[in-house]
Amino acid sequence: MVSDLAGETATLRAAGPITRIELLGVPAWTVTDHQIARQLLTDSRLIKDIEAWGLWQSGAVTRQWPLIGMIDAGRSMFTVDGTEHRRLRIKTTQALTPRRLEELRPSIERLTKELLDDLEEAGQDGAAVDLKQIFAYPLPMRVISELMGVPREDHPMLLDWYKKFFSMVTPQDERLRIIDEMDVYFTEMVRRKTANPEDDLTSALILADEGGEPLTEEEVVGNLKALVAAGHETTVSLILNAVRALLTRPEQLARVRAEEVEWKQAIEETLRYDGPVIHLLMRFATEDITVGDTVIEKGEGVVMSYRAIGRDAAIHGEDADEFDVARPTANRNISFGYGPHVCPGAALARLEAAIALPALFERFPELRLGIPDAEITNLPVLTQNDVAAVPVHLA
C-alpha cells in the first residue's frame, strides 16, 4: 500500500479521467482529470452526507470498514452541504482572512525559530536527524493548536491519535476507540471554553451567532476535530515534500535561493507535483450524473485523486510528471480542493510553508538528505501523502 505512489498515479491516469476503483473492498469512482474534478466539485448533486451512500444505506458498509471514520465524522462543515455548510463554515473563514493570517505571522516565525533551534541542537554531532519529527511535524500542530486553543501538553497524545487514526495497519477496533476518545477530549474542551471563553477560534465558534442560530456543541466539536487534523497533516507533507524535491534538484534550489524564482512558486509546484492529499473521500450522487461516457449512478461514491489530478498533462504540459519550480501553471493546482468545500486552512498552510522553508534553508545552507530519496518510505495511509521520516544532515 502506497509503496509506489508514482506507479499508482500513473496507473490511475492511464485508466481514464474517471474510473472504477476498489477502496479496501468497497467500490467507488475516482477522478483523475483536472477539469472533470472542477466540474464535479461544484455539482450540487454530489454531496458529503453519508446517508446518501447506497452501500451505507444497504448495510454493505458498516462501522467496521477501516475508512469509515473519514466519512462518518460527525456533523461539521466538512460533512454537510448547501446552506448548512455555509452556516458552519462562515466563522472559520472569518477567522482566517488575509489580515488575520498576517497577524499570525509573528507567532509562526517564533515557533519556526524555536524548532530550528531544536533541530540545530539535535544535529550538533553531525549525525542525521529526522526533519519530520523535530521540525515539520510539530510546527503546524503548534500553529493550529495556538489558533484553536489546544494545550501544548496534549500535542504528543493528539499526534499519536491522528497517526493511528489515518494508518491502514491500525486494527479497526483500536481506530474506533481512538475516535471515541477524540470525541470525549474535544467535547470536554468545548465545554470548558463554553464556560470560560478565551481568545481563540474554538471560543469564537462557540460564541458565533450567525442568523440567530448558534452552532450546536456537536457542530463545534466536529469543526474543531477536523480543523486540528487537517490543519497539521497537510502542512507537514507540504514542507517535507518541498524539501525533498529541492534537495534532489540542487539547480532548482539554487534558483529559488537566488530569488530567480519565488518561494511561493516552489510551494505551488510542490502542491501540484507531490501534494499533501493523495485521495479525498468521498462524495455521493443524489441522482444519476453523466460525465462524458460515464454514468455515476445515484447512491455511488466518488473520490478525488488529487495527486493524479496534479499530473494532468492537459493543464500542466507533457512534462507534468517532472518537478519544475518555474512551471507557469503550478498555481492552477487544486490540491486543497475546489468549490464550496475548498480547504478553509489552505492559506494558513501556504503561509506556514512560506515562512518555514526559507528559514530552514537560510539556517542550514548545506542541508542534505541523510539517505537516498528513493529510500524514504510512505506510511500506510491511503489518503495523506505522509512519509515515515526524512533524515537529513545539517552541514
Side-chain angles (χ1 to χ4, degrees):
M1 185 180 294
V2 300
S3 60
D4 179 16
L5 278 184
E8 176 189 293
T9 299
T11 298
L12 283 175
R13 289 200 53 77
I18 179 167
T19 190
R20 296 290 280 179
I21 58 171
E22 189 174 283
L23 294 171
L24 304 181
V26 172
W29 293 99
T30 195
V31 178
T32 65
D33 180 273
H34 180 100
Q35 296 293 5
I36 292 175
R38 284 167 56 108
Q39 172 189 334
L40 291 177
L41 288 169
T42 55
D43 193 322
S44 61
R45 297 172 296 174
L46 275 179
I47 67 173
K48 291 278 196 165
D49 187 353
I50 192 174
E51 296 300 330
W53 192 13
L55 294 176
W56 178 256
Q57 292 173 339
S58 70
V61 172
T62 70
R63 294 286 292 171
Q64 288 303 311
W65 186 51
L67 299 173
I68 196 64
M70 300 180 194
I71 300 172
D72 186 24
R75 184 176 174 79
S76 75
M77 64 180 170
F78 297 92
T79 58
V80 299
D81 298 275
T83 303
E84 281 298 277
H85 171 255
R86 289 189 291 273
R87 183 179 73 85
L88 293 175
R89 183 184 173 101
I90 189 167
K91 275 298 177 182
T92 302
T93 55
Q94 288 176 351
L96 294 174
T97 61
R99 178 178 177 179
R100 173 60 175 149
L101 289 176
E102 278 305 306
E103 292 173 353
L104 289 174
R105 181 182 290 274
S107 177
I108 298 171
E109 291 173 343
R110 170 179 54 82
L111 293 172
T112 297
K113 182 181 182 305
E114 290 175 4
L115 291 169
L116 289 175
D117 290 343
D118 293 344
L119 194 63
E120 184 169 19
E121 182 177 354
Q124 280 182 343
D125 60 359
V129 293
D130 184 1
L131 186 67
K132 177 181 180 180
Q133 190 65 33
I134 301 174
F135 182 67
Y137 209 28
L139 175 61
M141 177 56 87
R142 291 185 187 181
V143 171
I144 196 67
S145 294
E146 285 197 4
L147 181 65
M148 303 302 298
V150 177
R152 184 177 289 195
E153 60 266 24
D154 293 339
H155 289 185
M157 176 185 69
L158 290 169
L159 290 169
D160 182 62
W161 276 349
Y162 282 116
K163 180 179 180 180
K164 291 176 179 176
F165 171 79
F166 285 114
S167 174
M168 291 298 97
V169 300
T170 300
Q172 184 62 0
D173 288 345
E174 182 179 358
R175 184 180 289 105
L176 292 174
R177 176 183 59 77
I178 289 169
I179 291 171
D180 289 341
E181 289 177 349
M182 284 184 182
D183 286 339
V184 170
Y185 173 84
F186 286 114
T187 298
E188 290 178 349
M189 178 176 159
V190 168
R191 288 176 180 173
R192 287 197 308 272
K193 292 182 181 294
T194 300
N196 297 288
E198 300 177 43
D199 183 20
D200 54 50
L201 181 51
T202 301
S203 298
L205 292 172
I206 293 167
L207 297 172
D209 189 14
E210 292 303 318
E213 187 178 358
L215 275 62
T216 66
E217 179 179 272
E218 178 191 6
E219 291 167 344
V220 176
V221 169
N223 277 358
L224 173 59
K225 186 169 59 174
L227 282 166
V228 173
H232 82 275
E233 282 286 342
T234 54
T235 311
V236 174
S237 298
L238 173 54
I239 292 171
L240 292 176
N241 291 348
V243 169
R244 292 173 62 193
L246 291 168
L247 288 181
T248 52
R249 297 164 180 83
E251 72 290 347
Q252 296 197 42
L253 174 59
R255 294 188 66 190
V256 177
R257 297 198 64 201
E259 300 183 352
E260 294 177 19
V261 178
E262 294 182 351
W263 276 105
K264 176 182 177 181
Q265 183 72 7
I267 289 166
E268 294 305 315
E269 177 65 352
T270 301
L271 288 170
R272 180 205 70 82
Y273 173 79
D274 199 17
V277 178
I278 305 173
H279 311 288
L280 191 66
L281 315 183
M282 189 183 304
R283 286 171 167 79
F284 310 103
T286 57
E287 60 181 79
D288 290 359
I289 301 173
T290 301
V291 183
D293 296 330
T294 299
V295 177
I296 303 168
E297 295 184 2
K298 178 180 178 179
E300 290 187 320
V302 178
V303 174
M304 294 294 156
S305 290
Y306 282 113
R307 193 175 192 278
I309 290 168
R311 305 298 183 92
D312 191 335
I315 300 297
H316 301 293
E318 292 303 317
D319 64 344
D321 285 326
E322 302 296 326
F323 181 87
D324 179 5
V325 291
R327 185 179 303 278
T329 62
N331 62 0
R332 295 181 64 187
N333 77 80
I334 57 170
S335 297
F336 283 115
Y338 183 78
H341 280 280
V342 65
C343 177
L348 177 59
R350 286 180 165 103
L351 175 62
E352 290 178 58
I355 292 171
L357 289 168
L360 173 68
F361 283 101
E362 182 177 347
R363 176 75 76 92
F364 306 112
E366 298 179 38
L367 186 73
R368 66 188 192 280
L369 290 176
I371 60 175
D373 186 69
E375 294 180 13
I376 295 175
T377 58
N378 274 74
L379 290 173
V381 177
L382 186 68
T383 52
Q384 270 72 40
N385 190 356
D386 195 2
V387 296
V390 178
V392 294
H393 291 286
L394 305 180

